[in-house]
Structures are given as structure tokens and as C-alpha cells.
């Protein structure tokens, strides 16, 4: 997902992927994950990022 995000939006750096296994879960499929993407120049379209996140059953949050 992080790689595809970088390719689709032409990012210079691949976004940071953070995974956190759920307590008591041994299966990697049960890990929660998030992608950290900084857009300090505000050049990325928020709507396009929202749509991309939905394609992965996710959502976008801002700090």
C-alpha cells in the first residue's frame, strides 16, 4: 500500500508504514497498520487521498 501510494502520487520518499500486532494475536493478518505521510507543502489533494484510503478500507486523518 505504501509503495502504491508513493507511485500514484509521485512522492519522492516512500511513506512510513507502522504495524502493531494486536494483543494475543499471532497472525500477521491481524496486525493493525497505518501509513504516515507528511505533506508539509500541501501539494497533495485531500479528496484523492481519501479515495485512495477507502480503496484499502481505511481513512485519512490529520494531526
Amino acid at each position: 500500500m505504501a509503495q502504491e501510494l508513493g507511485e500514484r502520487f509521485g512522492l519522492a520518499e516512500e511513506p512510513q508504514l507502522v504495524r502493531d500486532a494486536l494483543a494475543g494475536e499471532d497472525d500477521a493478518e491481524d496486525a493493525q497498520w497505518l501509513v504516515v505521510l507528511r505533506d508539509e507543502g500541501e501539494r497533495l489533494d485531500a479528496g484523492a487521498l481519501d479515495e485512495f484510503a477507502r480503496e484499502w478500507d481505511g481513512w485519512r486523518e490529520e494531526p
Side-chain angles (χ1 to χ4, degrees):
M1 186 268 186
Q3 181 180 357
E4 185 174 327
L5 178 64
E7 291 171 1
R8 185 178 301 184
F9 291 92
L11 304 176
E13 295 180 21
E14 186 172 303
Q16 177 186 0
L17 178 63
V18 179
R19 295 181 65 113
D20 186 22
L22 298 174
E25 297 293 337
D26 294 330
D27 188 356
E29 294 295 319
D30 292 327
Q32 295 180 353
W33 55 274
L34 64 95
V35 175
V36 178
L37 173 64
R38 297 190 191 280
D39 183 28
E40 295 171 4
E42 298 182 9
R43 68 174 197 86
L44 301 175
D45 178 77
L49 289 170
D50 286 335
E51 179 61 33
F52 182 84
R54 282 191 294 273
E55 291 174 18
W56 293 85
D57 295 324
W59 61 93
R60 183 181 62 89
E61 293 182 4
E62 294 187 32

